[in-house]
Amino acid sequence: MSEQAPSAPALQKRQRVVHLYHHTHWDREWWSTFQRFRFRLVHTIDRLLEVLQADPGFGPFVLDGQTIVLKDYLEARPERREELVGFIRAGRIHVGPWHVLPDEFLVSAEAHVRNLLLGERVARELGVELSRVGYLPDQFGHVGQMPQILRGFGIESAVVWRGFGAPPLGGEEGDAEAGVNFYDFPRARNKAVFPERMQSEFWWEAPDGSRVLGIYLPLEYYRSHYKVFPSDPERTHDQTVGRARRTVNYLERYAATDFILEPMGGDHLPVDERLPGLLEAINAQVEGFEYRMSSLEAFVADVKTQLGRVGVVWRGEGRAFGRKAHLLPGVFSARMHLKQKNRDAQAALERYAEPLQALNWLLGGCYEHNYLWLGWEKLIQNHPHDSICGCSTDQVHREMIPRFDEAQQIADLLAYSAQEEIAARVDYGPLPERAQPFTVFNPLSWTRTDAVRLLLNAHLRVEPQTWALKDAQGNELPFQARTVVHPLEKAEAFGWLGVPSQPPHRTDEFTEVSFVAREVPGLGYRAYRLEPRAEPVSHFRLRPYTLSETVARDKGNWETTDLAMGIGRMENAYLEVTVSPKDGSLTLRDKETGHVYEGLGVFEDGGDAGDTYNYSFPIGDQVLSTRDVPPRLSWVELGSSRSTLRVTWPWSLPAGLSEDRNSRSPDYVPFELHSDVTLHAGVKRVDVRTHFTNTARDHRLRALFPLGRAVKVSSAEGHFHVVERPVGLPEGERGSGEPAVHEHPQQTFVSVSDGTRGLTVANRGLPEFSVSERGEVALTLLRAVGWLSREDFLSRVGGAGPTAATPEAQMLGPVVAEYSLIPHAGTWAEARSYRAAHDFNAPLSAVPAISQVVPLRNRHLPLTNELPPAGQFVALEGDLLLSALKKAERSEHLILRFVNLSARPAEARLHFHLPMLRAFRANLREELGEELRLEEGTLRLEAGPWEVLTLALEPERARGER
């Protein structure tokens, strides 16, 4: 994963140019709230504008690489817009390229793309240019595909700090740690994975081979202003000239060229109008280097004149622990509900709202471009690391929830309304009176058989005894119905549904119809209808599902589907699931391979004496397990398409930590834990919903899934990539300022395999996992702590923020975690288990063609019979993963993005069932590149290993807007 030049160039005493970039790093919310920090921001920028106006030679000033500060400022100071914009246009204030500085691991790859697009959108609105340097100064580590993402926007360099670092070429290892021995060199830990020597200018290479010029900050981004003591000239000299000499002597050891980059600024620091005079005084008293107030662009331009001296190559992610910067990995599990809400909103925008809006636009509908950005902007406001990481004060995280909720509601409404328009175009054939036609949409690019749920007006009284579910060919399908509550809508006895006036009824109650839709085309749909039966089914069999036990006639002996249930067990054509009456663990038998997986779904709970940034075991820890707790079993639902068995553990846990925080409390609190285990007919996946009321403090709860074989690596989906990481800890971590940990980040899934058998665990918004050498996956469901930052625990030296109590980070109250078990032969890549993981994360979507509530547009859509009862808008043949489907930002093109989730090249064919005139390759910025040959609506595609492939299609839109 790494390489560097074989030896260091001999240090030559030559004149160095020090590019000092003056900046402020603006955490929008952290130890205080957005509004309180905005008040400081407004006055910080006010003062910056005054300084720039008073001194025409002052600048440039780097406004932290994010455009959101411009919007936040101008909302409070609209009258200063032209003044601010004028200084940006003059190059005296540098902004962007990001809209916010995001955490890289906890948000999706497409969210990073939208973040950069939003930065450009804000810049266009203001009429300014953005910085073309990828500014990433304080992220808690870096994803391996960031170079490919940046290159997709024409950005050829990146400024980084955490997760990178080593002694300089030719330098010896030192004893520096984060905040310790500041001007010493760090140790190069984990040399088997990361480079053992470093340059401040290096090549950062993504898995696909894309490279950017990495700019490493050996003394980090936070450099406080020079200190001047009017009554103590000697001390002033030391803190200006002396500090400059110490800094340059250190940084020049890392410099690959004659140019050095030094930050001047930090968290919420104001402009320092003294700086030009101080630099002039420093330059007059030193030899061998010259300070210039400069910019990141100017530094990169100078370095590019000497690129031949850059020798170090850093491949993949920047997550090197113990190299003088904390990575703070506990943020992957702090305040887990934020991660879950973020996943839900991302999925709603990426998998449903954008694609359905785009497909409806192709059919002649309106593409809600600005409305989609309203949702994205709300969501992206929650993506800075102090926000999504859960490491801020309680009030900050309370204020995030409305943003998530608004983003979710916008996405859901835009998806629903677009699918409703598409559903109204479908030909359902002759419909009986009161029939309810609907379409099922598949947001993924492969044909799939999977569960689907449809919400109907409860006044219809849909139930299997009196209603029949039929496909387009008239075949009757089994379904289940139950009453659910919709907190955001109301159902009344509307006349257009053909239901008579009924007694008062809870208006928030709806009927949920569930069934298994078979062979739904990728990026396509199938039509179905529910229609009243002429006569109710007599008794509808006493047991309208299949039981595997010896039962009497009509008591479950009929084979309705491939799904069958027994005492503590379920099975379908692919899987058999048995629950242990001893400890509640699952035994899973894969009928296709014959492999048996035992002991799945055991829970383990240990103490946590850390803070929101880092997990830390108390030295007197006591790890408890449900292996010792006899369970209760109960059926939540028995049906022919879906059955759910609840496993309940009447557990108890220590109430918290002891007073000295070295042990768990001797006092226990009740802790009842439930896992609802669901199996669907015809689906090779076991879905689990674990839920409980958290009554304990200072603990970490994990679900365990043993493969039953030893493994050497874990494979976890990341950003346009599946990352392999060694399962063992590197040597030499003892005594580090922040030792490496077993826990790692993931997106949709983690997978383990010994080469013969494999197990993939998919998740919805549970980004932290670990894998042991014996092949056991541990999925973190909850980490409960009570402090933003502390300095008295075992896994980190020093603080990471203010020592502030955060009682709501204890996560007391209801907790829900959703995940799925996918057994398979071989590795995840051989089994293509990523498909089942994405199936779990992007369920089929069903929308009725006849409105069940007051129509969203205050008008009913006519059924026009334009589309066939089953259809596919875009057909993909090949193993590419669809990442985005949307309309282009600034043109009338359809944007399709795929990623080759493989270390091997891939070929694919893409066929369009709606007329396309021309096809182009494009970059992530949606700029057109090479024109592709489009033959009878078909494209042949080639993608390199781990390549992100963006296409721009020019459609023929013959139909007018509805």
Side-chain angles (χ1 to χ4, degrees):
M1 295 180 66
S2 60
E3 67 181 40
Q4 57 266 327
S7 60
L11 284 176
Q12 301 175 6
K13 283 296 177 183
R14 51 185 182 260
Q15 183 73 14
R16 301 275 191 178
V17 174
V18 183
H19 290 261
L20 186 141
Y21 76 93
H22 192 20
H23 75 107
T24 187
H25 177 60
W26 208 265
D27 297 303
R28 192 169 187 254
E29 53 192 9
W30 178 25
W31 50 264
S32 193
T33 61
F34 159 57
Q35 291 297 350
R36 294 184 69 87
F37 276 153
R38 173 155 70 175
F39 190 86
R40 290 179 169 88
L41 173 71
V42 167
H43 290 277
T44 297
I45 296 182
D46 280 348
R47 181 57 184 155
L48 171 62
L49 298 180
E50 292 166 5
V51 171
L52 292 172
Q53 191 68 43
D55 183 356
F58 190 95
F61 188 88
V62 176
L63 205 49
D64 203 31
Q66 49 182 336
T67 61
I68 198 168
V69 295
L70 306 179
K71 297 195 71 171
D72 290 344
Y73 176 74
L74 290 174
E75 283 179 356
R77 292 281 194 267
E79 70 278 7
R80 302 198 75 166
R81 174 183 172 124
E82 290 307 313
E83 187 180 4
L84 174 62
V85 165
F87 284 126
I88 298 172
R89 290 173 179 166
R92 299 182 66 191
I93 296 177
H94 286 227
V95 297
W98 299 96
H99 185 59
V100 305
L101 292 180
D103 181 83
E104 292 184 33
F105 289 99
L106 288 174
V107 307
S108 70
E110 286 296 333
H112 287 318
V113 175
R114 299 305 178 283
N115 190 336
L116 287 163
L117 286 174
L118 185 53
E120 296 195 341
R121 183 176 167 90
V122 172
R124 285 195 301 273
E125 290 171 356
L126 295 176
V128 300
E129 296 293 326
L130 295 178
S131 168
R132 303 310 297 161
V133 177
Y135 195 55
L136 298 162
D138 193 29
Q139 276 71 4
F140 301 161
H142 301 270
V143 300
Q145 284 279 42
M146 186 55 70
Q148 186 175 184
I149 294 172
L150 294 174
R151 292 295 299 228
F153 281 83
I155 297 171
E156 299 179 348
S157 56
V159 176
V160 296
W161 170 45
R162 299 182 193 266
F164 293 94
L169 285 176
E172 298 298 320
E173 292 191 354
D175 293 321
E177 299 286 355
V180 180
N181 300 331
F182 192 65
Y183 287 106
D184 201 352
F185 299 135
R187 295 185 185 179
R189 294 181 169 88
N190 201 2
K191 300 174 187 177
V193 175
F194 301 109
E196 57 185 278
R197 291 296 181 268
M198 194 66 182
Q199 293 173 300
S200 50
E201 299 76 44
F202 66 100
W203 293 115
W204 185 12
E205 185 174 292
D208 77 313
S210 300
R211 284 185 174 186
V212 295
L213 177 66
I215 310 298
Y216 166 60
L217 301 175
L219 292 177
E220 70 164 284
Y221 72 93
Y222 196 126
R223 301 285 287 160
S224 57
H225 297 170
Y226 288 120
K227 295 180 174 63
V228 174
F229 305 91
S231 61
D232 192 340
E234 185 175 341
R235 190 177 179 192
T236 295
H237 185 272
D238 176 72
Q239 289 299 307
T240 53
V241 176
R243 170 179 156 177
R245 284 186 175 133
R246 290 189 294 272
T247 299
V248 173
N249 287 341
Y250 186 87
L251 293 180
E252 72 175 347
R253 297 293 301 275
Y254 281 96
T257 71
D258 294 337
F259 309 100
I260 292 172
L261 182 69
E262 181 183 351
M264 179 62 68
D267 300 359
H268 306 123
L269 290 185
V271 63
D272 185 355
E273 62 267 28
R274 310 166 306 159
L275 200 51
L278 290 171
L279 294 183
E280 184 177 354
I282 290 170
N283 285 334
Q285 299 179 63
V286 298
E287 295 180 356
F289 59 89
E290 176 193 356
Y291 268 97
R292 297 177 186 171
M293 278 192 73
S294 188
S295 67
L296 300 172
E297 280 85 355
F299 173 74
V300 169
D302 275 354
V303 167
K304 285 183 175 180
T305 66
Q306 300 177 3
L307 283 180
R309 299 182 186 179
V310 178
V312 172
V313 179
W314 189 293
R315 290 192 169 90
E317 62 183 6
R319 287 194 77 230
F321 282 84
R323 298 196 178 196
K324 206 178 172 181
H326 292 146
L327 282 175
L328 312 172
V331 299
F332 298 142
S333 51
R335 302 186 197 256
M336 195 70 84
H337 68 296
L338 301 177
K339 283 69 168 173
Q340 293 168 309
K341 280 187 166 290
N342 182 66
R343 187 224 73 96
D344 292 348
Q346 283 178 169
L349 285 163
E350 296 171 17
R351 289 299 189 200
Y352 302 98
E354 285 183 339
L356 284 162
Q357 284 284 323
L359 295 173
N360 188 48
W361 168 72
L362 289 179
L363 294 170
C366 172
Y367 186 82
E368 296 279 7
H369 187 266
N370 292 322
Y371 219 145
L372 282 164
W373 274 117
L374 283 177
W376 271 115
E377 191 162 2
K378 288 291 182 182
L379 182 59
I380 288 171
Q381 286 175 13
N382 282 345
H383 285 177
H385 63 197
D386 297 304
S387 305
I388 191 62
C389 287
C391 54
S392 297
T393 61
D394 289 343
Q395 180 62 30
V396 164
H397 296 300
R398 285 188 217 114
E399 293 174 9
M400 290 175 65
I401 302 302
R403 297 178 205 142
F404 280 132
D405 289 346
E406 288 187 55
Q408 184 78 50
Q409 291 171 39
I410 290 170
D412 289 346
L413 286 166
L414 292 177
Y416 192 96
S417 64
Q419 189 173 346
E420 191 176 47
E421 284 201 50
I422 294 171
R425 291 184 166 96
V426 172
D427 184 357
Y428 299 96
L431 292 173
E433 186 179 357
R434 295 180 61 214
Q436 301 299 314
F438 64 96
T439 60
V440 172
F441 172 69
N442 179 2
L444 300 175
S445 56
W446 50 81
T447 298
R448 56 196 281 212
T449 294
D450 212 336
V452 64
R453 299 182 182 188
L454 171 72
L455 284 189
L456 294 174
N457 190 303
H459 290 274
L460 290 168
R461 299 187 182 278
V462 173
E463 55 184 4
Q465 291 91 331
T466 55
W467 287 70
L469 171 63
K470 294 184 178 181
D471 63 17
Q473 289 72 45
N475 301 310
E476 184 169 345
L477 308 174
F479 75 95
Q480 294 160 230
R482 65 179 181 179
T483 299
V484 297
V485 171
H486 191 315
L488 304 178
E489 264 298 353
K490 65 174 183 174
E492 297 178 10
F494 299 117
W496 63 81
L497 293 175
V499 295
S501 179
Q502 297 177 9
H505 177 281
R506 278 190 60 173
T507 58
D508 59 351
E509 286 187 346
F510 287 74
T511 299
E512 180 193 84
V513 169
S514 61
F515 68 103
V516 172
R518 297 189 176 274
E519 300 295 310
V520 182
L523 291 176
Y525 64 91
R526 280 197 181 279
Y528 299 86
R529 67 179 185 271
L530 280 153
E531 59 184 50
R533 297 182 185 276
E535 295 291 337
V537 175
S538 178
H539 301 298
F540 195 67
R541 294 184 186 147
L542 295 179
R543 301 283 181 173
Y545 43 78
T546 304
L547 297 178
S548 56
E549 310 295 340
T550 302
V551 294
R553 179 182 176 85
D554 291 339
K555 301 297 179 68
N557 61 308
W558 296 97
E559 184 175 329
T560 54
T561 64
D562 68 333
L563 182 62
M565 290 68 68
I567 298 174
R569 59 186 297 274
M570 297 178 283
E571 65 178 305
N572 63 16
Y574 302 104
L575 300 173
E576 181 181 0
V577 184
T578 305
V579 180
S580 166
K582 179 182 177 182
D583 61 12
S585 65
L586 307 181
T587 296
L588 183 58
R589 183 170 70 89
D590 185 336
K591 293 183 178 181
E592 292 186 313
T593 65
H595 295 149
V596 177
Y597 304 78
E598 298 179 321
L600 303 172
V602 167
F603 295 89
E604 181 179 273
D605 189 88
D608 192 337
D611 56 19
T612 59
Y613 293 100
N614 291 76
Y615 160 78
S616 182
F617 59 89
I619 192 61
D621 198 10
Q622 182 182 17
V623 179
L624 306 175
S625 170
T626 55
R627 292 187 183 94
D628 306 316
V629 182
R632 298 194 308 266
L633 305 184
S634 58
W635 288 99
V636 175
E637 189 171 17
L638 287 161
S640 54
S641 62
R642 175 185 69 204
S643 286
T644 299
L645 179 60
R646 176 169 294 169
V647 187
T648 298
W649 292 268
W651 210 4
S652 60
L653 296 178
L657 293 176
S658 59
E659 189 173 345
D660 63 7
R661 299 181 64 83
N662 286 325
S663 306
R664 302 191 78 175
S665 169
D667 300 321
Y668 278 63
V669 293
F671 188 90
E672 189 166 80
L673 182 66
H674 311 277
S675 275
D676 294 350
V677 183
T678 297
L679 191 66
H680 295 94
V683 179
K684 191 179 179 182
R685 198 180 68 228
V686 179
D687 298 342
V688 184
R689 181 179 183 268
T690 296
H691 53 105
F692 53 91
T693 297
N694 183 37
T695 54
R697 293 173 169 82
D698 304 307
H699 69 118
R700 181 178 69 172
L701 177 69
R702 302 190 296 171
L704 308 180
F705 309 101
L707 175 67
R709 299 286 190 276
V711 300
K712 294 182 178 180
V713 298
S714 64
S715 301
E717 187 186 49
H719 297 69
F720 300 137
H721 189 218
V722 176
V723 187
E724 284 198 354
R725 301 182 179 99
V727 295
L729 290 179
E731 296 180 357
E733 293 297 309
R734 180 178 170 85
S736 168
E738 187 189 46
V741 298
H742 288 286
E743 291 74 36
H744 300 290
Q746 63 174 333
Q747 286 286 304
T748 302
F749 69 86
V750 59
S751 190
V752 289
S753 175
D754 68 344
T756 300
R757 60 192 274 154
L759 179 65
T760 296
V761 181
N763 76 89
R764 291 178 180 159
L766 304 173
E768 182 179 281
F769 77 93
S770 69
V771 174
S772 68
E773 294 181 6
R774 63 182 182 274
E776 184 173 72
V777 176
L779 183 65
T780 304
L781 308 188
L782 170 76
R783 197 168 75 83
V785 292
W787 293 89
L788 194 155
S789 177
R790 294 182 68 96
E791 299 189 31
D792 60 353
F793 55 84
L794 304 175
S795 61
R796 189 188 71 227
V797 173
T803 306
T806 53
E808 291 176 22
Q810 295 283 10
M811 298 297 294
L812 298 176
V815 175
V816 176
E818 296 178 315
Y819 46 95
S820 187
L821 308 181
I822 305 158
H824 50 83
T827 66
W828 69 270
E830 293 165 339
R832 298 194 298 184
S833 65
Y834 69 89
R835 291 191 168 192
H838 281 274
D839 287 347
F840 176 68
N841 269 270
L844 297 174
S845 172
V847 168
I850 299 173
S851 183
Q852 304 294 301
V853 297
V854 175
L856 293 176
R857 305 169 193 77
N858 292 317
R859 64 183 176 88
H860 293 283
L861 296 174
L863 303 185
T864 60
N865 303 326
E866 300 171 41
L867 298 175
Q872 188 171 29
F873 300 107
V874 182
L876 175 70
E877 298 175 23
D879 284 338
L880 301 181
L881 174 65
L882 177 73
S883 183
L885 170 57
K886 61 189 288 290
K887 184 179 178 292
E889 291 301 301
R890 305 178 69 188
S891 70
E892 297 299 301
H893 289 90
L894 177 72
I895 297 295
L896 281 154
R897 183 153 39 252
F898 298 94
V899 57
N900 177 18
L901 277 188
S902 173
R904 299 178 179 178
E907 296 183 355
R909 286 163 50 92
L910 201 59
H911 183 72
F912 299 93
H913 294 272
L914 293 172
M916 297 291 167
L917 301 178
R918 303 173 74 188
F920 302 85
R921 290 195 68 146
N923 60 16
L924 297 179
R925 205 179 186 186
E926 301 180 2
E927 297 168 323
L928 301 188
E930 170 194 5
E931 185 167 3
L932 302 174
R933 188 174 181 181
L934 188 61
E935 296 181 320
E936 297 181 351
T938 298
L939 277 178
R940 295 181 182 273
L941 304 176
E942 295 181 355
W946 308 114
E947 183 182 1
V948 178
L949 178 61
T950 302
L951 305 174
L953 286 303
E954 183 181 329
E956 179 185 302
R957 295 180 67 222
R959 301 175 180 86
E961 185 173 323
R962 289 167 69 87

